[in-house]
Amino acid sequence: MAAQPRAAANRRRHPPRTRLSADERERLIARGAVSFFCEVGFGGQTRELAKRLGITQPLLYRYFPNKEALIDRVYREVYLNRWDPRWEELLDNHARPARERIVAFYRDYAKAVLSYEWIRIFMFSGLRGMNLNSRYLTLVRDRIYTRVLRELRREHGMPSPAEVPLSEMEFELVWALHASIFYIGIRKWIYGLEIPENVDEVVQNLATSFLDGVPAVMQRALPPPARATKRRVPPSG
Amino acid sequence: MAAQPRAAANRRRHPPRTRLSADERERLIARGAVSFFCEVGFGGQTRELAKRLGITQPLLYRYFPNKEALIDRVYREVYLNRWDPRWEELLDNHARPARERIVAFYRDYAKAVLSYEWIRIFMFSGLRGMNLNSRYLTLVRDRIYTRVLRELRREHGMPSPAEVPLSEMEFELVWALHASIFYIGIRKWIYGLEIPENVDEVVQNLATSFLDGVPAVMQRALPPPARATKRRVPPSG
DNA sequence: GATGCGGGTTATCGACCGATAGATAGGCGC
DNA sequence: GCGCCTATCTATCGGTCGATAACCCGCATC
């Protein structure tokens, strides 16, 4: 702080500029942007973000052409690499009982999805009108819900999806389980409510309760002709 | 400016100003603010809001001291008068079977809550860090969840909440039903996904499936001494 | 030890946005 | 039909924010 011969050092308002490689700096900015925007929303100011990163605001524009590009990067950072391809294998593995597989999957899925960043970014991007959410959820529907329902059908001796296509109502039932898990995150990181410590146990109970309660509704929801497919029936009368 | 006989009329950029009573104008602004902010979020600009209302932006400031006051008004407009006191009566009415009451309640609750405005304002206010959400949800927990669980306990011959307090896990199970209903709205009005037309039927199935699946989990979750009340068993073997 | 590449900074622009001041005009009371 | 009250408008201010321009300087290179 004392008067130094090097006047330039005193004029400088910024702490000693740390000089990083371009790659490293870009990663730092990207990571910082994720935690910044998922906290304050995409309306957050670039100046504030720069401050948190310990750099000046124009430096952001050396690495990203504009704010929108930075936001895009945040999306990529959060949405990509969150999908575990082993989930599908897990659900397909007929060596384990269906019930056990489904519970195991949801416990693992919950662990991946129930995070501050994911929940909030997901919500912000939805409210912003991006279609990222719908794209992602279509993936979940095609890759997961179909499998869960297929296994449930088989488990309870109902016709396979090939025989009787999965109904909208059946998808709604799986949506409900998905919702009840995701909502735990919403309660904690959007509403700021307390949630139980043993989330894993809660998820397990939710999945169990789902598996107990859903089959009856599924059976009721099967279209009348389909319910009779156990005795082979020709497609058309 | 051009020297015309009726210069004033030509200089006017606005359509013929409609002059309303203060009360009426304020209501108009409040209603417009609700639909505006729930669409674009609270970051929406007062100029844009004024445009939609067909008035000039400074007029807003005649009725509301600042933007924040306008937003507060939006909250009041949306949060208040959405609670139907008959819900509690409905759940307490022992003349009807518990199952029927609970299903009826959720069908009605869903009808009240699954609206564009409610879902989005609720989300926006949560992300903004207001504690309105937690206050509201604490109300729901105290007034609704406790009743639902109480009736479920009674229905299945479990000890009353007075005998064995409601556990966190039991509340989680009711949360799950709440979540699965609320999430229908999130899917539609935040993610922009298609949802079934017959929401009422879906809600009915969700509630039914809940009532089918939950009791077993509840019974398992009861603390050991309580579970043992049927066959008296000493605590330690 | 001059040179220049490139990461980092300061200074600033222009648009936007909340808010205010003061002019304007619709319509009621007399 | 005159005057006043007040709802509404025009004009504008001051701060904010994304973005750009131009300069700074540590270090590798020769």
Side-chain angles (χ1 to χ4, degrees), chain A residues 143-194:
Chain A
R143 304 273 179 90
I144 304 297
Y145 295 180
T146 51
R147 282 181 163 82
V148 170
L149 287 170
R150 188 228 299 150
E151 298 303 320
L152 275 177
R153 284 266 194 97
R154 172 202 285 256
E155 177 94 345
H156 291 85
M158 288 179 264
S160 78
E163 290 163 341
V164 175
L166 296 171
S167 71
E168 218 175 357
M169 189 58 80
E170 286 173 297
F171 278 108
E172 286 303 312
L173 296 172
V174 195
W175 265 117
L177 176 56
H178 181 93
S180 63
I181 291 172
F182 195 80
Y183 208 73
I184 295 173
I186 293 183
R187 282 158 56 197
K188 176 163 184 182
W189 288 301
I190 296 184
Y191 304 156
L193 290 171
E194 287 293 321

Short mmCIF file of all heavy atoms in Angstrom, two decimals, chain A residues 143-194:
data_model
loop_
_atom_site.label_atom_id
_atom_site.label_comp_id
_atom_site.label_asym_id
_atom_site.label_seq_id
_atom_site.Cartn_x
_atom_site.Cartn_y
_atom_site.Cartn_z
N ARG A 143 -36.42 -43.00 -23.75
CA ARG A 143 -35.41 -43.94 -23.29
C ARG A 143 -35.76 -44.60 -21.96
O ARG A 143 -35.32 -45.71 -21.68
CB ARG A 143 -34.06 -43.22 -23.12
CG ARG A 143 -33.57 -42.51 -24.35
CD ARG A 143 -32.78 -43.44 -25.23
NE ARG A 143 -32.33 -42.76 -26.43
CZ ARG A 143 -31.15 -42.12 -26.51
NH1 ARG A 143 -30.33 -42.10 -25.49
NH2 ARG A 143 -30.80 -41.52 -27.64
N ILE A 144 -36.46 -43.87 -21.10
CA ILE A 144 -36.70 -44.38 -19.75
C ILE A 144 -38.15 -44.82 -19.54
O ILE A 144 -38.41 -45.98 -19.22
CB ILE A 144 -36.33 -43.30 -18.70
CG1 ILE A 144 -34.89 -42.84 -18.89
CG2 ILE A 144 -36.56 -43.84 -17.29
CD1 ILE A 144 -33.85 -43.90 -18.69
N TYR A 145 -39.05 -43.89 -19.74
CA TYR A 145 -40.45 -44.21 -19.44
C TYR A 145 -40.91 -45.46 -20.19
O TYR A 145 -41.59 -46.31 -19.62
CB TYR A 145 -41.36 -43.03 -19.79
CG TYR A 145 -41.12 -41.79 -18.97
CD1 TYR A 145 -41.86 -40.64 -19.18
CD2 TYR A 145 -40.16 -41.78 -17.96
CE1 TYR A 145 -41.65 -39.51 -18.43
CE2 TYR A 145 -39.94 -40.64 -17.21
CZ TYR A 145 -40.68 -39.50 -17.44
OH TYR A 145 -40.47 -38.38 -16.71
N THR A 146 -40.55 -45.53 -21.46
CA THR A 146 -40.98 -46.70 -22.23
C THR A 146 -40.45 -47.98 -21.59
O THR A 146 -41.16 -48.97 -21.51
CB THR A 146 -40.45 -46.60 -23.67
OG1 THR A 146 -39.05 -46.34 -23.64
CG2 THR A 146 -41.16 -45.50 -24.44
N ARG A 147 -39.22 -47.93 -21.13
CA ARG A 147 -38.64 -49.12 -20.52
C ARG A 147 -39.34 -49.48 -19.21
O ARG A 147 -39.65 -50.64 -18.94
CB ARG A 147 -37.15 -48.93 -20.29
CG ARG A 147 -36.32 -49.07 -21.55
CD ARG A 147 -34.84 -48.89 -21.26
NE ARG A 147 -34.02 -49.40 -22.33
CZ ARG A 147 -33.74 -48.74 -23.45
NH1 ARG A 147 -34.26 -47.54 -23.66
NH2 ARG A 147 -32.96 -49.27 -24.37
N VAL A 148 -39.53 -48.45 -18.38
CA VAL A 148 -40.18 -48.71 -17.10
C VAL A 148 -41.56 -49.32 -17.31
O VAL A 148 -41.92 -50.33 -16.68
CB VAL A 148 -40.31 -47.39 -16.29
CG1 VAL A 148 -41.20 -47.60 -15.07
CG2 VAL A 148 -38.94 -46.89 -15.87
N LEU A 149 -42.31 -48.76 -18.25
CA LEU A 149 -43.66 -49.26 -18.49
C LEU A 149 -43.62 -50.67 -19.08
O LEU A 149 -44.42 -51.53 -18.72
CB LEU A 149 -44.41 -48.31 -19.42
CG LEU A 149 -44.84 -46.99 -18.76
CD1 LEU A 149 -45.37 -46.00 -19.79
CD2 LEU A 149 -45.90 -47.25 -17.69
N ARG A 150 -42.67 -50.88 -19.98
CA ARG A 150 -42.54 -52.21 -20.58
C ARG A 150 -42.31 -53.26 -19.50
O ARG A 150 -42.96 -54.31 -19.47
CB ARG A 150 -41.36 -52.20 -21.56
CG ARG A 150 -41.21 -53.45 -22.40
CD ARG A 150 -39.78 -53.94 -22.39
NE ARG A 150 -38.83 -52.97 -22.94
CZ ARG A 150 -37.57 -52.89 -22.55
NH1 ARG A 150 -37.10 -53.71 -21.62
NH2 ARG A 150 -36.77 -51.99 -23.08
N GLU A 151 -41.41 -52.94 -18.57
CA GLU A 151 -41.10 -53.90 -17.51
C GLU A 151 -42.29 -54.09 -16.58
O GLU A 151 -42.53 -55.20 -16.10
CB GLU A 151 -39.87 -53.42 -16.73
CG GLU A 151 -38.62 -53.31 -17.56
CD GLU A 151 -38.24 -54.62 -18.25
OE1 GLU A 151 -38.39 -55.68 -17.61
OE2 GLU A 151 -37.83 -54.58 -19.43
N LEU A 152 -42.99 -53.02 -16.33
CA LEU A 152 -44.16 -53.13 -15.45
C LEU A 152 -45.22 -54.00 -16.10
O LEU A 152 -45.86 -54.83 -15.44
CB LEU A 152 -44.74 -51.74 -15.15
CG LEU A 152 -44.09 -50.99 -13.98
CD1 LEU A 152 -44.70 -49.62 -13.83
CD2 LEU A 152 -44.27 -51.79 -12.70
N ARG A 153 -45.42 -53.79 -17.40
CA ARG A 153 -46.40 -54.61 -18.13
C ARG A 153 -46.02 -56.09 -18.01
O ARG A 153 -46.84 -56.93 -17.67
CB ARG A 153 -46.39 -54.20 -19.61
CG ARG A 153 -47.10 -52.90 -19.92
CD ARG A 153 -48.53 -53.12 -20.32
NE ARG A 153 -49.14 -51.94 -20.93
CZ ARG A 153 -49.23 -51.73 -22.23
NH1 ARG A 153 -48.75 -52.61 -23.09
NH2 ARG A 153 -49.82 -50.64 -22.70
N ARG A 154 -44.77 -56.36 -18.28
CA ARG A 154 -44.32 -57.75 -18.25
C ARG A 154 -44.47 -58.33 -16.84
O ARG A 154 -44.99 -59.44 -16.65
CB ARG A 154 -42.84 -57.80 -18.67
CG ARG A 154 -42.20 -59.17 -18.48
CD ARG A 154 -40.69 -59.06 -18.38
NE ARG A 154 -40.07 -58.80 -19.66
CZ ARG A 154 -39.42 -59.72 -20.38
NH1 ARG A 154 -39.32 -60.96 -19.93
NH2 ARG A 154 -38.88 -59.39 -21.53
N GLU A 155 -44.03 -57.54 -15.86
CA GLU A 155 -44.06 -57.99 -14.46
C GLU A 155 -45.45 -58.43 -14.03
O GLU A 155 -45.61 -59.38 -13.26
CB GLU A 155 -43.58 -56.84 -13.56
CG GLU A 155 -43.61 -57.10 -12.08
CD GLU A 155 -42.26 -57.61 -11.57
OE1 GLU A 155 -41.43 -58.00 -12.41
OE2 GLU A 155 -42.04 -57.60 -10.35
N HIS A 156 -46.46 -57.71 -14.53
CA HIS A 156 -47.82 -58.00 -14.07
C HIS A 156 -48.65 -58.74 -15.12
O HIS A 156 -49.88 -58.69 -15.09
CB HIS A 156 -48.51 -56.71 -13.64
CG HIS A 156 -47.92 -56.13 -12.40
ND1 HIS A 156 -46.82 -55.30 -12.42
CD2 HIS A 156 -48.23 -56.30 -11.08
CE1 HIS A 156 -46.50 -54.96 -11.19
NE2 HIS A 156 -47.35 -55.55 -10.35
N GLY A 157 -47.96 -59.37 -16.05
CA GLY A 157 -48.66 -60.21 -17.01
C GLY A 157 -49.57 -59.46 -17.95
O GLY A 157 -50.53 -60.01 -18.46
N MET A 158 -49.27 -58.18 -18.16
CA MET A 158 -50.08 -57.42 -19.12
C MET A 158 -49.46 -57.54 -20.50
O MET A 158 -48.29 -57.91 -20.64
CB MET A 158 -50.14 -55.96 -18.69
CG MET A 158 -51.00 -55.72 -17.45
SD MET A 158 -51.03 -53.99 -16.95
CE MET A 158 -49.75 -53.98 -15.69
N PRO A 159 -50.20 -57.22 -21.55
CA PRO A 159 -49.65 -57.34 -22.90
C PRO A 159 -48.45 -56.43 -23.10
O PRO A 159 -48.38 -55.36 -22.49
CB PRO A 159 -50.82 -56.93 -23.79
CG PRO A 159 -51.77 -56.21 -22.91
CD PRO A 159 -51.62 -56.81 -21.56
N SER A 160 -47.54 -56.84 -23.95
CA SER A 160 -46.34 -56.01 -24.18
C SER A 160 -46.72 -54.78 -24.99
O SER A 160 -47.75 -54.76 -25.66
CB SER A 160 -45.32 -56.83 -24.96
OG SER A 160 -45.69 -56.87 -26.32
N PRO A 161 -45.86 -53.75 -24.95
CA PRO A 161 -46.12 -52.54 -25.74
C PRO A 161 -46.27 -52.83 -27.23
O PRO A 161 -46.96 -52.10 -27.94
CB PRO A 161 -44.88 -51.68 -25.47
CG PRO A 161 -44.39 -52.12 -24.14
CD PRO A 161 -44.69 -53.60 -24.08
N ALA A 162 -45.63 -53.91 -27.71
CA ALA A 162 -45.77 -54.27 -29.11
C ALA A 162 -47.20 -54.71 -29.40
O ALA A 162 -47.76 -54.40 -30.45
CB ALA A 162 -44.79 -55.37 -29.48
N GLU A 163 -47.76 -55.42 -28.44
CA GLU A 163 -49.14 -55.89 -28.62
C GLU A 163 -50.15 -54.77 -28.42
O GLU A 163 -51.04 -54.55 -29.27
CB GLU A 163 -49.42 -57.03 -27.64
CG GLU A 163 -48.66 -58.32 -27.98
CD GLU A 163 -48.61 -59.28 -26.81
OE1 GLU A 163 -48.83 -58.84 -25.65
OE2 GLU A 163 -48.34 -60.46 -27.04
N VAL A 164 -50.02 -54.09 -27.29
CA VAL A 164 -50.91 -52.96 -27.00
C VAL A 164 -50.04 -51.74 -26.72
O VAL A 164 -49.31 -51.72 -25.72
CB VAL A 164 -51.80 -53.25 -25.77
CG1 VAL A 164 -52.62 -52.01 -25.43
CG2 VAL A 164 -52.68 -54.45 -26.02
N PRO A 165 -50.09 -50.76 -27.60
CA PRO A 165 -49.20 -49.61 -27.43
C PRO A 165 -49.39 -48.96 -26.07
O PRO A 165 -50.49 -49.00 -25.51
CB PRO A 165 -49.64 -48.65 -28.55
CG PRO A 165 -50.41 -49.49 -29.51
CD PRO A 165 -50.99 -50.62 -28.75
N LEU A 166 -48.31 -48.36 -25.56
CA LEU A 166 -48.39 -47.68 -24.27
C LEU A 166 -49.36 -46.51 -24.39
O LEU A 166 -49.31 -45.74 -25.35
CB LEU A 166 -46.99 -47.19 -23.87
CG LEU A 166 -45.97 -48.29 -23.64
CD1 LEU A 166 -44.58 -47.71 -23.45
CD2 LEU A 166 -46.35 -49.14 -22.43
N SER A 167 -50.23 -46.41 -23.42
CA SER A 167 -51.24 -45.34 -23.46
C SER A 167 -50.71 -44.06 -22.82
O SER A 167 -49.77 -44.09 -22.02
CB SER A 167 -52.50 -45.78 -22.73
OG SER A 167 -52.26 -45.82 -21.34
N GLU A 168 -51.35 -42.98 -23.17
CA GLU A 168 -50.99 -41.69 -22.59
C GLU A 168 -51.11 -41.75 -21.07
O GLU A 168 -50.29 -41.21 -20.35
CB GLU A 168 -51.94 -40.62 -23.15
CG GLU A 168 -51.28 -39.30 -23.41
CD GLU A 168 -52.26 -38.32 -24.08
OE1 GLU A 168 -53.41 -38.73 -24.37
OE2 GLU A 168 -51.86 -37.19 -24.30
N MET A 169 -52.15 -42.43 -20.62
CA MET A 169 -52.37 -42.51 -19.17
C MET A 169 -51.24 -43.23 -18.48
O MET A 169 -50.82 -42.85 -17.39
CB MET A 169 -53.70 -43.22 -18.90
CG MET A 169 -54.14 -43.17 -17.45
SD MET A 169 -54.32 -41.47 -16.83
CE MET A 169 -55.94 -41.04 -17.51
N GLU A 170 -50.71 -44.26 -19.10
CA GLU A 170 -49.60 -44.97 -18.49
C GLU A 170 -48.37 -44.07 -18.38
O GLU A 170 -47.67 -44.05 -17.37
CB GLU A 170 -49.28 -46.23 -19.31
CG GLU A 170 -50.30 -47.33 -19.12
CD GLU A 170 -50.04 -48.50 -20.06
OE1 GLU A 170 -50.12 -48.31 -21.29
OE2 GLU A 170 -49.75 -49.59 -19.57
N PHE A 171 -48.14 -43.30 -19.44
CA PHE A 171 -47.02 -42.35 -19.35
C PHE A 171 -47.24 -41.34 -18.23
O PHE A 171 -46.30 -40.94 -17.54
CB PHE A 171 -46.85 -41.62 -20.69
CG PHE A 171 -46.06 -42.40 -21.70
CD1 PHE A 171 -46.68 -42.96 -22.80
CD2 PHE A 171 -44.70 -42.59 -21.55
CE1 PHE A 171 -45.97 -43.70 -23.74
CE2 PHE A 171 -43.96 -43.32 -22.48
CZ PHE A 171 -44.60 -43.87 -23.57
N GLU A 172 -48.48 -40.94 -18.07
CA GLU A 172 -48.77 -39.99 -16.99
C GLU A 172 -48.36 -40.55 -15.63
O GLU A 172 -47.89 -39.82 -14.77
CB GLU A 172 -50.26 -39.64 -16.98
CG GLU A 172 -50.68 -38.72 -18.11
CD GLU A 172 -49.89 -37.43 -18.11
OE1 GLU A 172 -49.74 -36.80 -17.05
OE2 GLU A 172 -49.39 -37.04 -19.19
N LEU A 173 -48.56 -41.83 -15.46
CA LEU A 173 -48.22 -42.44 -14.17
C LEU A 173 -46.71 -42.40 -13.94
O LEU A 173 -46.25 -42.15 -12.83
CB LEU A 173 -48.74 -43.88 -14.13
CG LEU A 173 -50.27 -44.00 -14.20
CD1 LEU A 173 -50.69 -45.45 -14.34
CD2 LEU A 173 -50.93 -43.38 -12.97
N VAL A 174 -45.94 -42.63 -14.99
CA VAL A 174 -44.49 -42.56 -14.81
C VAL A 174 -44.06 -41.11 -14.62
O VAL A 174 -43.16 -40.82 -13.83
CB VAL A 174 -43.75 -43.17 -16.01
CG1 VAL A 174 -42.30 -43.43 -15.63
CG2 VAL A 174 -44.40 -44.45 -16.44
N TRP A 175 -44.70 -40.22 -15.37
CA TRP A 175 -44.44 -38.80 -15.16
C TRP A 175 -44.59 -38.44 -13.68
O TRP A 175 -43.83 -37.64 -13.14
CB TRP A 175 -45.45 -37.95 -15.95
CG TRP A 175 -44.97 -37.49 -17.29
CD1 TRP A 175 -45.51 -37.82 -18.49
CD2 TRP A 175 -43.90 -36.58 -17.56
NE1 TRP A 175 -44.83 -37.20 -19.50
CE2 TRP A 175 -43.84 -36.43 -18.96
CE3 TRP A 175 -43.00 -35.90 -16.76
CZ2 TRP A 175 -42.89 -35.61 -19.57
CZ3 TRP A 175 -42.05 -35.09 -17.38
CH2 TRP A 175 -42.01 -34.96 -18.76
N ALA A 176 -45.58 -39.03 -13.06
CA ALA A 176 -45.86 -38.69 -11.67
C ALA A 176 -44.68 -39.05 -10.77
O ALA A 176 -44.30 -38.29 -9.88
CB ALA A 176 -47.12 -39.39 -11.20
N LEU A 177 -44.10 -40.20 -11.03
CA LEU A 177 -42.94 -40.59 -10.21
C LEU A 177 -41.77 -39.64 -10.47
O LEU A 177 -41.13 -39.15 -9.53
CB LEU A 177 -42.54 -42.03 -10.53
CG LEU A 177 -41.28 -42.53 -9.82
CD1 LEU A 177 -41.41 -42.38 -8.31
CD2 LEU A 177 -41.00 -43.99 -10.18
N HIS A 178 -41.53 -39.40 -11.75
CA HIS A 178 -40.49 -38.44 -12.12
C HIS A 178 -40.71 -37.11 -11.40
O HIS A 178 -39.81 -36.53 -10.80
CB HIS A 178 -40.52 -38.24 -13.63
CG HIS A 178 -39.49 -37.30 -14.14
ND1 HIS A 178 -38.26 -37.72 -14.60
CD2 HIS A 178 -39.49 -35.96 -14.27
CE1 HIS A 178 -37.56 -36.68 -14.98
NE2 HIS A 178 -38.27 -35.60 -14.79
N ALA A 179 -41.96 -36.65 -11.45
CA ALA A 179 -42.30 -35.35 -10.84
C ALA A 179 -42.03 -35.36 -9.35
O ALA A 179 -41.46 -34.41 -8.80
CB ALA A 179 -43.77 -35.03 -11.10
N SER A 180 -42.42 -36.43 -8.68
CA SER A 180 -42.30 -36.42 -7.23
C SER A 180 -40.83 -36.40 -6.82
O SER A 180 -40.49 -35.86 -5.77
CB SER A 180 -43.03 -37.62 -6.63
OG SER A 180 -42.43 -38.82 -7.08
N ILE A 181 -39.98 -36.96 -7.64
CA ILE A 181 -38.55 -36.90 -7.33
C ILE A 181 -37.98 -35.52 -7.66
O ILE A 181 -37.32 -34.89 -6.84
CB ILE A 181 -37.79 -37.99 -8.12
CG1 ILE A 181 -38.17 -39.36 -7.57
CG2 ILE A 181 -36.29 -37.77 -8.05
CD1 ILE A 181 -37.64 -40.52 -8.38
N PHE A 182 -38.28 -35.04 -8.83
CA PHE A 182 -37.77 -33.73 -9.24
C PHE A 182 -38.23 -32.64 -8.29
O PHE A 182 -37.51 -31.69 -8.00
CB PHE A 182 -38.25 -33.42 -10.66
CG PHE A 182 -37.54 -32.30 -11.33
CD1 PHE A 182 -36.30 -32.50 -11.91
CD2 PHE A 182 -38.10 -31.04 -11.39
CE1 PHE A 182 -35.62 -31.46 -12.53
CE2 PHE A 182 -37.43 -29.99 -12.01
CZ PHE A 182 -36.20 -30.21 -12.58
N TYR A 183 -39.46 -32.80 -7.81
CA TYR A 183 -40.03 -31.76 -6.95
C TYR A 183 -39.30 -31.63 -5.62
O TYR A 183 -39.35 -30.58 -4.98
CB TYR A 183 -41.51 -32.06 -6.71
CG TYR A 183 -42.34 -30.83 -6.46
CD1 TYR A 183 -42.64 -29.96 -7.49
CD2 TYR A 183 -42.83 -30.53 -5.18
CE1 TYR A 183 -43.40 -28.83 -7.27
CE2 TYR A 183 -43.59 -29.40 -4.96
CZ TYR A 183 -43.87 -28.56 -6.00
OH TYR A 183 -44.62 -27.44 -5.77
N ILE A 184 -38.64 -32.68 -5.22
CA ILE A 184 -37.82 -32.57 -4.02
C ILE A 184 -36.77 -31.48 -4.22
O ILE A 184 -36.53 -30.65 -3.36
CB ILE A 184 -37.14 -33.92 -3.69
CG1 ILE A 184 -38.20 -34.96 -3.35
CG2 ILE A 184 -36.15 -33.77 -2.55
CD1 ILE A 184 -37.63 -36.37 -3.18
N GLY A 185 -36.17 -31.49 -5.41
CA GLY A 185 -35.19 -30.45 -5.74
C GLY A 185 -35.81 -29.08 -5.82
O GLY A 185 -35.23 -28.09 -5.37
N ILE A 186 -36.97 -29.01 -6.40
CA ILE A 186 -37.66 -27.71 -6.49
C ILE A 186 -37.93 -27.16 -5.11
O ILE A 186 -37.69 -25.98 -4.84
CB ILE A 186 -38.97 -27.87 -7.29
CG1 ILE A 186 -38.66 -28.20 -8.75
CG2 ILE A 186 -39.83 -26.62 -7.18
CD1 ILE A 186 -39.89 -28.31 -9.64
N ARG A 187 -38.41 -28.03 -4.24
CA ARG A 187 -38.70 -27.56 -2.88
C ARG A 187 -37.44 -27.01 -2.22
O ARG A 187 -37.47 -25.97 -1.57
CB ARG A 187 -39.23 -28.72 -2.04
CG ARG A 187 -40.68 -29.04 -2.31
CD ARG A 187 -41.01 -30.46 -1.88
NE ARG A 187 -40.67 -30.72 -0.49
CZ ARG A 187 -40.55 -31.93 0.04
NH1 ARG A 187 -40.73 -33.00 -0.72
NH2 ARG A 187 -40.25 -32.08 1.30
N LYS A 188 -36.35 -27.69 -2.40
CA LYS A 188 -35.13 -27.26 -1.71
C LYS A 188 -34.50 -26.05 -2.36
O LYS A 188 -34.19 -25.06 -1.71
CB LYS A 188 -34.13 -28.42 -1.68
CG LYS A 188 -32.79 -28.02 -1.05
CD LYS A 188 -32.00 -29.22 -0.65
CE LYS A 188 -30.71 -28.84 0.06
NZ LYS A 188 -29.92 -30.03 0.41
N TRP A 189 -34.31 -26.12 -3.69
CA TRP A 189 -33.47 -25.10 -4.32
C TRP A 189 -34.23 -23.98 -5.02
O TRP A 189 -33.64 -23.06 -5.54
CB TRP A 189 -32.49 -25.76 -5.28
CG TRP A 189 -31.43 -26.50 -4.56
CD1 TRP A 189 -30.54 -25.98 -3.66
CD2 TRP A 189 -31.16 -27.90 -4.61
NE1 TRP A 189 -29.73 -26.97 -3.16
CE2 TRP A 189 -30.08 -28.14 -3.74
CE3 TRP A 189 -31.70 -28.96 -5.34
CZ2 TRP A 189 -29.55 -29.43 -3.56
CZ3 TRP A 189 -31.18 -30.22 -5.16
CH2 TRP A 189 -30.11 -30.44 -4.28
N ILE A 190 -35.53 -24.11 -5.06
CA ILE A 190 -36.30 -23.00 -5.64
C ILE A 190 -37.18 -22.36 -4.57
O ILE A 190 -37.21 -21.14 -4.45
CB ILE A 190 -37.11 -23.46 -6.87
CG1 ILE A 190 -36.12 -23.88 -7.95
CG2 ILE A 190 -38.02 -22.36 -7.37
CD1 ILE A 190 -36.72 -24.26 -9.26
N TYR A 191 -37.83 -23.19 -3.78
CA TYR A 191 -38.65 -22.61 -2.72
C TYR A 191 -37.86 -22.35 -1.46
O TYR A 191 -38.32 -21.63 -0.57
CB TYR A 191 -39.82 -23.54 -2.38
CG TYR A 191 -40.71 -23.89 -3.55
CD1 TYR A 191 -41.47 -25.05 -3.54
CD2 TYR A 191 -40.82 -23.05 -4.66
CE1 TYR A 191 -42.30 -25.37 -4.60
CE2 TYR A 191 -41.64 -23.38 -5.72
CZ TYR A 191 -42.37 -24.55 -5.69
OH TYR A 191 -43.19 -24.89 -6.73
N GLY A 192 -36.70 -22.97 -1.34
CA GLY A 192 -35.91 -22.78 -0.13
C GLY A 192 -36.47 -23.49 1.07
O GLY A 192 -36.28 -23.04 2.20
N LEU A 193 -37.18 -24.59 0.85
CA LEU A 193 -37.75 -25.35 1.96
C LEU A 193 -36.76 -26.38 2.47
O LEU A 193 -35.86 -26.81 1.75
CB LEU A 193 -39.02 -26.06 1.51
CG LEU A 193 -40.24 -25.19 1.21
CD1 LEU A 193 -41.34 -26.01 0.57
CD2 LEU A 193 -40.75 -24.55 2.50
N GLU A 194 -36.96 -26.78 3.69
CA GLU A 194 -36.17 -27.89 4.23
C GLU A 194 -36.65 -29.19 3.62
O GLU A 194 -37.85 -29.39 3.42
CB GLU A 194 -36.36 -27.96 5.75
CG GLU A 194 -35.65 -26.86 6.51
CD GLU A 194 -34.13 -26.98 6.40
OE1 GLU A 194 -33.63 -28.12 6.44
OE2 GLU A 194 -33.47 -25.93 6.27
#
